[in-house]
Amino acid sequence: MKKLFFVLSVCMFFLGICVFAEEPPAGTEIVHPVDGAIMVYVPSGEFIMGLDPDDVPKIAKDLGFDDPERLWAWEAFPRRKINLPGYFIDKYEVTVEQWQKYLKVTGKPPFPSETAQHFDKPDEQLLPAAEIKWQDAIAYAKWAGKSLPTEAQWEKAARGTDGRLYPWGNEAPTMERGHFQPKDKPMGKMIYTHVGRHPLGASPYGAMDMLGNQYEWTCETNFPYPGNSMANKMKDYAGQMIVLRGGSWYHGWVGYYAAKRFGFKPNETYYHVGFRTVWRPPENYFDSEEYKKAKVAVTERKAQLGL
């Protein structure tokens, strides 16, 4: 029995997914060696993804909508359990500093203009990259040896495993928890803000700005989820757009819940669109010197960035 328990603790299989005993604790931070991103670890295992109709009235009330239909929450049906292998995800949205580094290393011209206007301005390096097209986000991720998140990866990083509605729990969003558009007020000169300014809105793994600030590209199209009983509502547009997650300061309160799906066509973007990346570590990474160095580097990197 002891031998059996040991084997199960080392490697548990669920639909072909292997869970290694040497996984670090949830939220463990590293610095990625290519783009300098601080990343947090999301351990392998199940989480609750999506929504059921019973979830929608509370979200609508929290966000200030009398009519729950205005949320288009049926795109996130049904609520179900998903099993994922472990991965790292950027703690912050990709920043102006990181995007400028990418362009310099690859020899690409300064683009897009919405991001390039902040280059070489010390006080603006921690703004999120903006007006990023999907293919350009993919190219950045490939350069760094990473990828754009799947919808499931993004949502688990935002919600944790307990099915909460928002990264911080089930309490309604407040302006202290994210860079949100003020309710019932003109936007005025509001625009995206520096990453990491709302620690009260952190996810269970320490990921920041998962709601508000910029929309974030995923790698998937907006087909209905399997088993969605209201998939007919999506028939006119499903599969035509790339899914964006996280809401944005521009589009407002309709997007400020963790299961929200939005989308643009692949060649479409605006100044409230950015991204973050994910990275699957190689086998035996957590026993390597590279891992130890990546953890130690976090303190210095935070000091460098003033985070």
Side-chain angles (χ1 to χ4, degrees):
M1 180 61 71
K2 289 183 178 180
K3 183 177 181 181
L4 176 61
F5 177 80
F6 174 77
V7 172
L8 290 174
S9 67
V10 172
C11 192
M12 300 171 62
F13 285 90
F14 180 83
L15 295 180
I17 294 174
C18 188
V19 182
F20 295 101
E22 68 267 18
E23 276 192 302
T28 295
E29 296 182 347
I30 64 166
V31 173
H32 192 272
V34 178
D35 68 348
I38 298 172
M39 307 190 79
V40 294
Y41 191 65
V42 181
S44 57
E46 286 187 342
F47 81 105
I48 297 172
M49 184 173 181
L51 299 173
D52 279 338
D54 291 346
D55 297 317
V56 181
K58 172 180 166 43
I59 297 172
K61 182 179 179 181
D62 287 347
L63 302 185
F65 292 91
D66 295 330
D67 182 5
E69 286 286 297
R70 291 182 61 191
L71 298 181
W72 285 36
W74 59 75
E75 295 178 323
F77 295 168
R79 183 179 172 103
R80 65 214 183 275
K81 289 184 178 180
I82 300 292
N83 198 301
L84 293 177
Y87 58 97
F88 285 96
I89 189 167
D90 293 341
K91 182 170 184 174
Y92 309 103
E93 294 158 330
V94 171
T95 63
V96 167
E97 182 225 31
Q98 291 171 270
W99 188 259
Q100 185 174 11
K101 176 182 178 180
Y102 160 64
L103 297 185
K104 286 181 177 179
V105 171
T106 59
K108 295 179 181 292
F111 79 99
S113 59
E114 181 64 37
T115 300
Q117 67 176 314
H118 306 295
F119 288 176
D120 302 318
K121 297 178 180 178
D123 294 339
E124 299 176 9
Q125 295 305 291
L126 291 184
L127 291 172
E131 204 174 32
I132 304 298
K133 291 184 178 180
W134 184 57
Q135 290 290 353
D136 293 327
I138 291 174
Y140 175 99
K142 185 176 181 180
W143 161 76
K146 301 192 281 184
S147 62
L148 295 184
T150 65
E151 286 200 77
Q153 287 174 326
W154 192 97
E155 191 165 325
K156 183 175 182 179
R159 298 180 77 178
T161 60
D162 58 7
R164 61 185 58 192
L165 300 176
Y166 312 104
W168 53 85
N170 289 317
E171 300 82 14
T174 65
M175 300 297 286
E176 291 74 36
R177 287 179 165 135
H179 186 56
F180 303 144
Q181 182 187 123
K183 282 186 177 180
D184 304 320
K185 293 181 180 180
M187 286 184 295
K189 295 183 178 180
M190 182 181 178
I191 197 169
Y192 44 87
T193 191
H194 287 199
V195 301
R197 282 189 167 177
H198 297 86
L200 293 179
S203 84
Y205 308 102
M208 307 288 282
D209 304 306
M210 297 297 283
L211 293 183
N213 218 11
Q214 301 291 69
Y215 269 127
E216 300 175 14
W217 288 114
T218 71
C219 66
E220 296 190 86
T221 50
N222 66 330
F223 285 107
Y225 292 147
N228 186 343
S229 61
M230 301 183 74
N232 64 300
K233 287 181 174 283
M234 301 174 63
K235 64 182 180 181
D236 293 333
Y237 61 89
Q240 299 179 27
M241 294 182 288
I242 307 299
V243 175
L244 292 156
R245 289 301 199 108
S248 81
W249 60 268
Y250 180 83
H251 265 173
W253 289 76
V254 69
Y256 299 150
Y257 58 100
K260 174 64 178 177
R261 306 173 77 195
F262 189 69
F264 285 145
K265 293 181 179 179
N267 61 349
E268 185 178 7
T269 192
Y270 298 97
Y271 43 80
H272 56 110
V273 177
F275 69 107
R276 74 179 77 212
T277 63
V278 296
W279 181 59
R280 288 283 314 282
E283 188 176 356
N284 300 321
Y285 173 73
F286 298 119
D287 294 324
S288 70
E289 288 299 316
E290 288 79 10
Y291 173 56
K292 294 177 183 177
K293 292 177 182 177
K295 286 199 299 180
V296 170
V298 171
T299 300
E300 182 178 351
R301 181 65 171 146
K302 286 184 176 179
Q304 177 188 8
L305 297 174
L307 292 168

